[in-house]
Amino acid sequence: MSSRRARSVEKKKKIKQYRVLLIMLIPAMIYYIIFHYLPMYGVLLAFKDFKITEGILGSPWAGLRHFEKIMNDTYFFTVLKNTIIISLYKLVFGFPVPIIFALLLSEISNVKFKKMVQTVSYLPHFISWVVLAGIFFTLFSLDGPINGIVKMFGGDPMLFLADDRYFRTILVVTSIFQGFGWGSIIYFAAISSIDPQLYEAAVLDGASRFKRMVYISIPMLAPVIAIMLILSMSGILDAGFDQIFNMYNVKVYNVSDIIDTYVYRKGLIEMNYSYATAVGLFKSVVALILIVIVNQTVKWIGGKEHAIW
Amino acid sequence: MINVKKSTGDKIIDGFLYLILLGIVVITLYPFWTQVIISLDGGGADSAAYSSGIILLPTQFSFESYKLAFKFDALWLGYWNTILRTMLGVILSIFFTSITAYPLAKRDLPFNRTFTSFVLFTMLFAGGTIPSYLLIKELQLLNTIWSLVIPGMISAFNVLIMRNFFRSIPEELEDSARVDGAGYVRIFTQIVIPISKPVLATIALWVGVGHWNAWFDSLIYISDPNKQVLQIVLRKIIIQNSMADINSVIQNIGKTTEFSGRQLQATVVMFSIIPMLIVYPFIQKYFVKGVMVGAVKG
């Protein structure tokens, strides 16, 4: 009893001591409640029949009707399939590129050249997808450079961006273009932290450059690679709204419409607020579950210090 | 690395490496180069804007399309709105992120774990587009600059990075100030903030570029054309290929024939990326520093 009292007295003393700091936190707490927690409470919409005049609270309950509708919506499954396929493609083809790029560049000893290549490679990351999409429209247009190459090899020019056979490939390639340099930073950091003595010893043992890469660089990178891979799994339902929304068109909806673009059209264009919220909630819940699984896996593989919590 | 004489085999491999990396540089820059060329070409019907295939140089230089774009009011309005939101956004973000991160950096702050979890949980789960939209609408923020600046003001990730940086400041520094009678506010403003310039600059840059390139919030929250940001103006011309917009520009100037829509589009693209290209080489290393800081968890 007395120890509990002592503790509470101490707590009070501490609160007094840290009073100013606690006051500093107030704006942030208000901000988070209003702009992050209120929208979370807004997912109630998914269980209501939203009437704009009644507000979220006043609208009648709909139970799970919107979720039943999702399950009966064949187009939703197309959208879900597209989301997973596009993001898996991006993962499979896009994930190794920054690693290979970092390994190749680490073999270069000319510092100036290295810096130049790095600087250029980060550049696309800083350009918005609105502008990048515009640039790709030019590149893939009927008389653009890509079709120029096609013609050079005797092919017929085609409308790549309106063709559902090529659209996903283009999404993947252009997203690699935009992200590989930026993504490689973490691997550069990992490579530069490898003890140079390891390489020196390997050279004395007569290991070739290739062998040094295979037996020193790659194994030393493995933990970082594993963690980056696992972390990217939690974003498997994020196929890249910014990119797709700016690049797609009606002709390729069947292969490129993803959950996020569907929510945008259903909700904000067709004003189907409740249904769109239900679709969005479905995505958020799956993402949350994935993050928890991923965090546990990272803890298990990489140790506690790499996990998010 | 080490000074070992390079064998011929090594030199050949080196040659290939340089070639591959140079290829990557060319491929990365070429898409931007096409825009430069198309926007600068004054060759009329023979211009690069109409020619097909791989373009390397303009048939003849002309700044006509730039002159045209200069008179495009919507573009300047967009610029202005973007600059405004970027400045406001950066100032507010830095201010509120730092006063949030500083208390959380104190390990024995009462309820520290509760507050931290409260902030970090927003990284894991969000209400989604529709509830956020309805909230902004309910708060009467639609069509105001606040709808672009406030919702993302204190990013949990930035709080985390700043908190870790504050924790790396030696405690003795603050302790000595406290002995001299300085309160937390004084310590924060006169000691912590001045030595935290690197992390503040990095986060300011991240937030700044984020605002510069942002378009989706403006698309859904702003319907007044006079308040749209640059990226939305670009979207109208480039993505939606709004011929009405393009023609109105061309007609305004009284020129009709020499300009293709594509040339104007390329010019507009250049307009938005030139400021970025100018500052980019100077600020790039700070971004990288920030990623490194973020990668090291405290």
Side-chain angles (χ1 to χ4, degrees), chain B residues 185-241:
Chain B
V185 175
R186 223 182 133 92
I187 294 175
F188 177 64
T189 52
Q190 298 193 350
I191 297 178
V192 176
I193 290 295
I195 51 178
S196 302
K197 273 185 199 143
V199 75
L200 296 179
T202 309
I203 290 181
L205 284 173
W206 281 3
V207 174
V209 172
H211 277 295
W212 188 266
N213 283 332
W215 53 275
F216 185 64
D217 47 4
S218 188
L219 179 75
I220 61 177
Y221 297 146
I222 309 280
S223 52
D224 180 350
N226 292 321
K227 291 181 179 166
Q228 292 291 16
V229 298
L230 183 63
Q231 300 292 337
I232 294 291
V233 181
L234 298 179
R235 239 188 87 79
K236 270 196 203 138
I237 298 175
I238 304 172
I239 312 283
Q240 289 159 333
N241 212 347

Side-chain angles (χ1 to χ4, degrees), chain A residues 45 47-62 274:
Chain A
L45 268 183
F47 306 94
K48 294 231 173 186
D49 273 326
F50 186 62
K51 295 205 170 61
I52 231 160
T53 47
E54 315 267 328
I56 297 177
L57 274 183
S59 300
W61 289 97
S274 287

